[in-house]
Every structure is written in C-alpha cells, then in structure tokens.
Amino acid sequence: MLLPIVAGMDGSPESLAAADWAAREALHRGLPLRLVHAWEVTPPADDEQPALPELHVPQYWARRVLRTGLDRLTERYPQVRITAEQVPRPPVPALIGAAQSAEMLVLGNQGLGPVSAAFAGSVAGAVVGQVRQPVVLVRAGWTPAEEQLPTTDGDLAARRPVVLALDVRHDCTELLGFAFESARERSAPLTILYAWHLTEGPGAGRSRRLDLAQLEADWTLAAVVEPYREKYPTVEVRTEAVHDRPAHALGQASQEAALLIVGRRLRHPRVGSHLVRVAHWAIHHVHCPVAVVAHE
C-alpha cells in the first residue's frame, strides 16, 4: 500500500503553496496526495441552540478551504489521486496524527517576516518537533519556475540542486536516503554540504591543523556518501566539506537550492524530540522549501 503525501491546509497563501508543492512531489514520486484541514469543534453553551446558523460558519469555511484546494489541484495535476478530509481536532494533534500514516507531511512556512513573526512556529514548529516522518515547509509564492535557474536572457535553464546539510558525526542513513530519492525523482543534481569548524584559537601550527582537519572532513564525507553514489548512479552528486559556521554555509548554499534538507535528532521519549539549531535557523530564514528529516 502506497502511503500518501499529506498537506495541511488552512486557506493561507503559505498553505496553498505547500499544497501545490505537495501535489508536484506526489506526481514525482507516484504517490497519492491527502489534503487535511483541522478545525476545532466548540460545543455550544447550555443556553445556545445547536441549530443556530452562526455555529456552522467555521465548518462551512473549513469545507470551502478544502473544496477550493481540491478543485484547484485536481485541475492542475490530473495524474495525481487527491483526497481531502476535515479533521475536527486542534491543528497540532490533527497534523501529527495525519503524519503517522504518511510518506511525508507538507506545511506552509511563514518564516520571520514583520507580520508573521508573532506566529512563526506556533503550529509548524510544534508539529516538526514531534513527527518522525519528513516534514517539508514551503513559503508563499514558491512556484515550479523557481526550481530552475534563470539564464542571462531570462529563459529557464538547468534545475536548481537539492541541498543536503549533513553532520557526519551522527547517523546519516535517513537523511541520505531522503536526499538521493528527492534528487532522483525530480531529476535534479544533489549537493551535500558538511560544515565543520575548528574551535582552537590562533597559534603555532594552526594552518597545519586546518589542512589536516580539511583532509579528514573531505575523506569522511566521501566515505559516508560513496555507498549512495553506487545505489543512485543517475544522480549527479557534489560534496562540499567547508570550514564555516553551519548557518552561514547553509545561507550561501540555499540561495540556489530547489530544496534544502536538514536533520532533526530524536531523543528518548521521556525527554522529547530535539529541533537542532541549524534546522530551526533554516525554517525561519531560508527562502526555498525546507525538509526536516528526523534521525537517531
């Protein structure tokens, strides 16, 4: 049984862009798409009549959001099997529940703009931190055209790369598998970035230590990636081990990316999940879609 890609919808421009991205990804991967809209059911007070029309307004708008999204995506992507569902629960538990039977979850990303700063992470951040499946966050206005690099004459040329931020000190299995699959399905090149930083201060022999650390980083990254090169021979791969702060390195690499993939470490259940600093930074500052992949 094929698991669907699930897209959360609330009628916002961000969620519309996320649903559109999810439909394209479902098309790439040959998977069904499930649209989910969560709305909280407020029971009427004792002195209210359940039949009052205004009590049905939230449900009406929820249905309209889903119907509009379903009609729009069905017309654009007739090859994709799309379903839509209202979930009468608060958004965070509804989306977490929907993700449990999904290949991935796709949500709108408000980032840290002047208007949305107060709301950033209220739903998406809570969901990302508790879902084991990959979660992709998409900003408003992201279109298929932005997945290709513009040429000097304005025409669209090569596909933008998928960029994977890797920390070779931890298990990379889930991240590498997701990244290679994503690149292969969209016929895009894959850039794998490992940002390392030498914490020792200046002193005698620092240049030599930097050279040795660079050689070790290059070798380690190549060794980790090599089995996946063999498994995915059609994917064009470029590896970069750079002496830099992760956020700065990702900021540079993501400017030309079609998709940025970052990791989120899982902790013991009684401690909870852990949204690492790099993933948190990417969610709030990167323009392209960001995929957060949980790993041990």
Side-chain angles (χ1 to χ4, degrees), residues 235-277:
V235 176
E236 177 189 341
V237 186
R238 181 165 63 98
T239 58
E240 295 183 26
V242 295
H243 180 225
D244 199 354
R245 298 288 184 182
H248 183 264
L250 283 185
Q252 296 292 319
S254 66
Q255 291 178 10
E256 294 189 349
L259 174 67
L260 174 64
I261 302 170
V262 295
R264 174 182 73 81
R265 292 185 63 194
L266 294 171
R267 287 183 172 179
H268 191 278
R270 64 185 177 86
V271 179
S273 59
H274 180 49
L275 189 60
V276 296
R277 184 178 302 175

Side-chain angles (χ1 to χ4, degrees), residues 73-231:
L73 294 175
T74 300
E75 181 179 355
R76 288 188 177 186
Y77 306 97
Q79 310 96 318
V80 180
R81 182 166 64 87
I82 308 176
T83 58
E85 180 182 0
Q86 273 186 297
V87 180
R89 299 178 67 189
V92 172
L95 293 169
I96 291 174
Q100 292 176 356
S101 56
E103 185 71 21
M104 73 177 70
L105 177 65
V106 185
L107 303 173
N109 182 12
Q110 291 180 317
L112 285 177
V115 175
S116 61
F119 306 101
S122 58
V123 171
V127 172
V128 169
Q130 300 182 60
V131 170
R132 285 182 172 264
Q133 291 75 11
V135 182
V136 180
L137 302 169
V138 183
R139 290 185 185 272
W142 185 264
T143 64
E146 294 195 68
E147 296 190 0
Q148 294 180 297
L149 291 167
T151 60
T152 54
D153 56 6
D155 293 332
L156 295 178
R159 288 186 175 275
R160 293 180 182 269
V162 172
V163 176
L164 167 63
L166 206 60
D167 186 346
V168 297
R169 297 170 299 177
H170 305 293
D171 180 59
C172 305
T173 304
E174 291 89 350
L175 285 161
L176 284 164
F178 183 84
F180 272 87
E181 287 288 343
S182 297
R184 183 179 68 176
E185 295 301 335
R186 56 179 30 88
S187 299
L190 173 61
T191 297
I192 301 178
L193 181 66
Y194 170 40
W196 59 276
H197 186 70
L198 191 65
T199 56
E200 298 179 20
R206 175 174 171 80
S207 177
R208 175 64 175 167
R209 292 194 300 273
L210 280 173
D211 290 342
L212 291 175
Q214 182 67 62
L215 287 173
E216 182 180 0
D218 289 336
W219 183 89
T220 303
L221 180 58
V224 168
V225 173
E226 185 58 31
Y228 293 86
R229 287 184 184 270
E230 298 176 0
K231 185 178 179 180

